[in-house]
Coordinates of all heavy atoms in Angstrom, one line a residue:
T779 N 92.4 90.4 118.2 CA 91.2 90.6 119.2 C 90.0 90.8 118.4 O 88.9 91.0 119.0 CB 91.4 91.9 120.1 OG1 91.6 93.1 119.3 CG2 92.7 91.7 120.9
G780 N 90.1 90.7 117.0 CA 88.8 90.8 116.2 C 88.8 92.2 115.7 O 87.9 92.5 114.9
T781 N 89.6 93.2 116.2 CA 89.5 94.5 115.6 C 90.8 94.8 114.8 O 91.8 94.6 115.4 CB 89.5 95.6 116.8 OG1 88.4 95.3 117.5 CG2 89.4 97.0 116.2
P782 N 90.8 95.2 113.5 CA 92.0 95.5 112.8 C 92.8 96.6 113.5 O 92.2 97.6 114.1 CB 91.3 96.1 111.5 CG 90.0 95.4 111.4 CD 89.5 95.4 112.7
K783 N 94.1 96.4 113.6 CA 95.0 97.2 114.2 C 95.8 98.0 113.2 O 96.2 97.4 112.2 CB 95.9 96.6 115.2 CG 96.6 95.3 114.7 CD 97.3 94.6 115.8 CE 98.2 93.4 115.3 NZ 97.3 92.3 114.9
C784 N 96.2 99.3 113.5 CA 96.9 100.1 112.6 C 98.4 100.1 113.1 O 98.7 100.6 114.2 CB 96.4 101.5 112.6 SG 97.2 102.6 111.4
T785 N 99.3 99.5 112.2 CA 100.7 99.4 112.6 C 101.5 100.7 112.0 O 101.1 101.0 110.8 CB 101.3 98.2 112.0 OG1 101.4 98.2 110.6 CG2 100.5 96.9 112.4
L786 N 102.3 101.3 112.8 CA 102.9 102.5 112.4 C 104.5 102.3 112.2 O 105.1 101.6 112.9 CB 102.7 103.5 113.5 CG 101.3 103.9 113.8 CD1 101.3 104.7 115.1 CD2 100.7 104.6 112.7
N787 N 104.9 102.9 111.1 CA 106.4 102.8 110.8 C 107.0 104.2 110.6 O 106.3 105.1 110.3 CB 106.7 101.9 109.5 CG 106.5 100.4 109.9 OD1 107.5 99.8 110.3 ND2 105.2 99.9 109.8
R788 N 108.3 104.2 110.7 CA 109.1 105.5 110.6 C 109.8 105.6 109.3 O 110.1 104.5 108.6 CB 110.1 105.6 111.8 CG 109.4 105.6 113.1 CD 110.5 105.9 114.2 NE 109.9 106.0 115.5 CZ 109.7 105.0 116.3 NH1 110.1 103.7 116.0 NH2 109.2 105.2 117.6
H789 N 110.1 106.9 108.9 CA 110.9 107.2 107.8 C 112.3 106.3 107.7 O 112.6 105.8 106.7 CB 111.2 108.6 107.6 CG 110.2 109.4 107.0 ND1 110.0 109.7 105.6 CD2 109.0 110.0 107.5 CE1 108.9 110.4 105.3 NE2 108.3 110.6 106.5
R790 N 113.0 106.3 108.8 CA 114.3 105.7 108.8 C 114.3 104.2 108.4 O 115.1 103.7 107.7 CB 115.0 105.9 110.2 CG 116.4 105.2 110.2 CD 117.1 105.6 111.5 NE 117.5 107.0 111.4 CZ 118.0 107.8 112.4 NH1 118.0 107.3 113.6 NH2 118.3 109.0 112.2
G791 N 113.2 103.5 109.0 CA 113.1 102.1 108.7 C 112.9 101.9 107.2 O 113.5 101.0 106.7
L792 N 112.1 102.7 106.5 CA 111.9 102.5 105.1 C 113.0 103.0 104.3 O 113.3 102.4 103.3 CB 110.6 103.2 104.6 CG 110.1 102.9 103.3 CD1 109.8 101.4 103.1 CD2 108.7 103.7 103.0
V793 N 113.8 104.0 104.7 CA 114.9 104.4 104.0 C 116.0 103.3 104.0 O 116.6 103.0 103.0 CB 115.5 105.7 104.7 CG1 116.9 105.9 104.2 CG2 114.6 106.9 104.4
N794 N 116.1 102.6 105.2 CA 117.0 101.5 105.2 C 116.6 100.3 104.3 O 117.4 99.7 103.6 CB 117.2 101.0 106.6 CG 118.2 99.9 106.8 OD1 119.4 100.1 106.6 ND2 117.7 98.6 107.0
R795 N 115.3 100.0 104.3 CA 114.9 99.1 103.4 C 115.1 99.4 101.9 O 115.5 98.5 101.1 CB 113.3 98.8 103.6 CG 112.6 98.0 102.5 CD 113.0 96.6 102.3 NE 112.4 96.1 101.1 CZ 111.5 95.1 101.0 NH1 111.1 94.5 102.1 NH2 111.0 94.7 99.9
L796 N 114.7 100.6 101.5 CA 114.9 101.0 100.1 C 116.5 101.0 99.7 O 116.8 100.6 98.7 CB 114.3 102.4 99.9 CG 112.8 102.5 100.2 CD1 112.3 103.9 100.0 CD2 112.1 101.5 99.2
S797 N 117.2 101.5 100.7 CA 118.7 101.5 100.5 C 119.2 100.0 100.2 O 120.1 99.7 99.5 CB 119.4 102.2 101.6 OG 119.0 103.5 101.7
A798 N 118.8 99.1 101.1 CA 119.1 97.7 101.1 C 118.7 97.2 99.7 O 119.4 96.3 99.1 CB 118.5 96.9 102.1
M799 N 117.6 97.5 99.1 CA 117.2 97.0 97.9 C 118.1 97.5 96.8 O 118.5 96.6 95.9 CB 115.7 97.5 97.5 CG 114.7 96.9 98.4 SD 112.9 97.2 97.8 CE 113.0 96.2 96.3
S800 N 118.5 98.7 96.8 CA 119.5 99.2 95.9 C 120.8 98.5 95.9 O 121.5 98.1 95.0 CB 119.8 100.7 96.0 OG 118.6 101.4 95.6
G801 N 121.3 98.2 97.2 CA 122.5 97.3 97.4 C 122.3 95.9 96.9 O 123.3 95.4 96.5
H802 N 121.1 95.4 97.1 CA 120.9 94.0 96.7 C 120.6 93.8 95.3 O 121.1 92.8 94.6 CB 119.8 93.5 97.6 CG 119.7 91.9 97.6 ND1 120.2 91.2 98.7 CD2 119.2 91.0 96.9 CE1 120.1 89.9 98.4 NE2 119.4 89.7 97.3
F803 N 119.8 94.7 94.7 CA 119.3 94.4 93.3 C 119.9 95.4 92.3 O 119.7 95.3 91.1 CB 117.8 94.6 93.2 CG 117.1 93.6 94.2 CD1 116.2 94.2 95.2 CD2 117.3 92.3 94.1 CE1 115.5 93.4 96.0 CE2 116.6 91.5 95.0 CZ 115.7 92.0 96.0
G804 N 120.8 96.3 92.7 CA 121.3 97.3 91.8 C 120.5 98.6 91.8 O 119.5 98.7 92.3
D805 N 121.1 99.6 91.2 CA 120.5 101.0 91.2 C 119.1 100.9 90.7 O 118.8 100.4 89.6 CB 121.4 101.9 90.4 CG 120.9 103.3 90.4 OD1 119.9 103.6 91.2 OD2 121.5 104.1 89.6
G806 N 118.1 101.4 91.5 CA 116.7 101.4 91.1 C 116.5 102.2 89.9 O 115.4 102.2 89.3
A807 N 117.4 103.2 89.5 CA 117.2 104.1 88.3 C 117.0 103.4 87.1 O 116.3 103.9 86.1 CB 118.3 105.1 88.3
S808 N 117.5 102.2 87.1 CA 117.4 101.4 85.8 C 116.2 100.4 85.8 O 116.0 99.6 84.8 CB 118.6 100.5 85.6 OG 118.8 99.6 86.7
Q809 N 115.4 100.5 86.9 CA 114.3 99.6 87.0 C 112.9 100.1 86.6 O 112.7 101.4 86.8 CB 114.2 99.1 88.5 CG 115.5 98.5 89.0 CD 115.7 97.0 88.6 OE1 114.9 96.5 87.9 NE2 116.8 96.4 89.0
V810 N 112.1 99.4 86.0 CA 110.7 99.6 85.8 C 109.9 98.6 86.7 O 109.9 97.5 86.5 CB 110.3 99.6 84.3 CG1 108.9 99.9 84.1 CG2 111.3 100.3 83.4
V811 N 109.1 99.1 87.7 CA 108.5 98.4 88.6 C 106.9 98.3 88.4 O 106.3 99.3 88.3 CB 108.8 98.9 90.0 CG1 108.2 97.9 91.1 CG2 110.3 99.0 90.3
L812 N 106.4 97.1 88.5 CA 104.9 96.8 88.4 C 104.4 97.0 89.8 O 104.8 96.1 90.6 CB 104.6 95.6 87.7 CG 103.1 95.3 87.6 CD1 102.4 96.3 86.7 CD2 102.8 93.9 87.1
Q813 N 103.5 98.0 90.1 CA 102.9 98.0 91.4 C 101.7 97.2 91.4 O 100.5 97.7 91.4 CB 102.6 99.6 91.7 CG 102.3 99.8 93.2 CD 100.7 99.9 93.5 OE1 100.1 100.8 92.9 NE2 100.2 99.0 94.3
N814 N 101.9 95.9 91.6 CA 100.8 95.0 91.5 C 100.2 94.5 92.8 O 99.3 93.7 92.9 CB 101.1 93.7 90.7 CG 102.2 92.9 91.3 OD1 103.0 93.5 92.1 ND2 102.3 91.7 91.0
S815 N 100.7 95.1 93.9 CA 100.1 94.8 95.3 C 99.0 95.8 95.5 O 99.2 97.1 95.2 CB 101.1 94.9 96.4 OG 102.1 93.8 96.2
R816 N 98.0 95.6 96.2 CA 97.0 96.5 96.6 C 97.6 97.5 97.5 O 98.5 97.3 98.3 CB 95.9 95.8 97.4 CG 95.0 94.9 96.6 CD 93.8 94.3 97.5 NE 93.0 93.4 96.7 CZ 91.7 93.3 96.7 NH1 91.1 94.2 97.5 NH2 91.1 92.5 96.1
P817 N 97.2 98.8 97.4 CA 97.8 99.8 98.2 C 97.6 99.7 99.7 O 98.3 100.2 100.5 CB 97.0 101.1 97.8 CG 96.6 100.8 96.3 CD 96.3 99.4 96.3
T818 N 96.7 98.8 100.2 CA 96.5 98.5 101.5 C 97.4 97.4 102.0 O 97.2 97.0 103.1 CB 95.0 98.2 101.8 OG1 94.5 97.3 100.8 CG2 94.2 99.4 101.8
F819 N 98.2 96.9 101.2 CA 99.3 95.9 101.5 C 100.6 96.6 101.6 O 100.9 97.3 100.5 CB 99.4 94.7 100.6 CG 98.0 93.8 100.5 CD1 97.8 93.0 99.6 CD2 97.1 93.9 101.6 CE1 96.6 92.2 99.6 CE2 96.0 93.1 101.6 CZ 95.7 92.3 100.6
D820 N 101.3 96.5 102.5 CA 102.6 97.2 102.7 C 103.6 96.9 101.6 O 104.5 97.7 101.3 CB 103.1 97.1 104.1 CG 103.7 95.7 104.4 OD1 103.2 94.7 103.8 OD2 104.6 95.6 105.3
S821 N 103.5 95.8 100.9 CA 104.4 95.6 99.8 C 104.3 96.5 98.7 O 105.2 96.7 97.9 CB 104.3 94.2 99.3 OG 103.0 93.9 98.8
S822 N 103.1 97.1 98.6 CA 102.9 98.2 97.6 C 103.9 99.4 97.8 O 104.2 100.1 96.9 CB 101.6 98.7 97.6 OG 101.2 99.4 98.8
M823 N 104.4 99.5 99.0 CA 105.2 100.7 99.3 C 106.6 100.6 98.6 O 107.2 101.6 98.1 CB 105.5 100.9 100.8 CG 104.3 101.6 101.5 SD 103.9 103.2 100.8 CE 102.7 102.8 99.5
W824 N 107.3 99.4 98.6 CA 108.5 99.3 97.9 C 108.3 99.5 96.4 O 109.1 100.0 95.7 CB 109.3 98.1 98.3 CG 108.9 96.8 97.5 CD1 108.1 95.8 98.0 CD2 109.3 96.4 96.2 NE1 108.0 94.8 97.1 CE2 108.6 95.2 95.9 CE3 110.0 97.0 95.2 CZ2 108.8 94.5 94.7 CZ3 110.1 96.3 94.0 CH2 109.5 95.1 93.7
Q825 N 107.1 98.9 95.9 CA 106.9 99.0 94.5 C 106.7 100.5 94.0 O 107.0 100.8 92.9 CB 105.7 98.2 94.2 CG 105.8 96.7 94.5 CD 104.5 96.0 94.4 OE1 103.4 96.6 94.3 NE2 104.5 94.5 94.4

Side-chain angles (χ1 to χ4, degrees):
T779 62
T781 302
K783 53 185 182 284
C784 183
T785 67
L786 302 169
N787 283 270
R788 298 185 176 90
H789 276 266
R790 178 170 288 165
L792 191 55
V793 166
N794 184 68
R795 160 67 191 244
L796 300 178
S797 299
M799 291 191 69
S800 292
H802 198 96
F803 303 123
D805 186 6
S808 64
Q809 303 282 1
V810 183
V811 183
L812 179 65
Q813 192 259 299
N814 63 336
S815 294
R816 292 185 183 219
T818 46
F819 295 162
D820 66 338
S821 58
S822 66
M823 278 304 92
W824 81 257
Q825 296 169 350

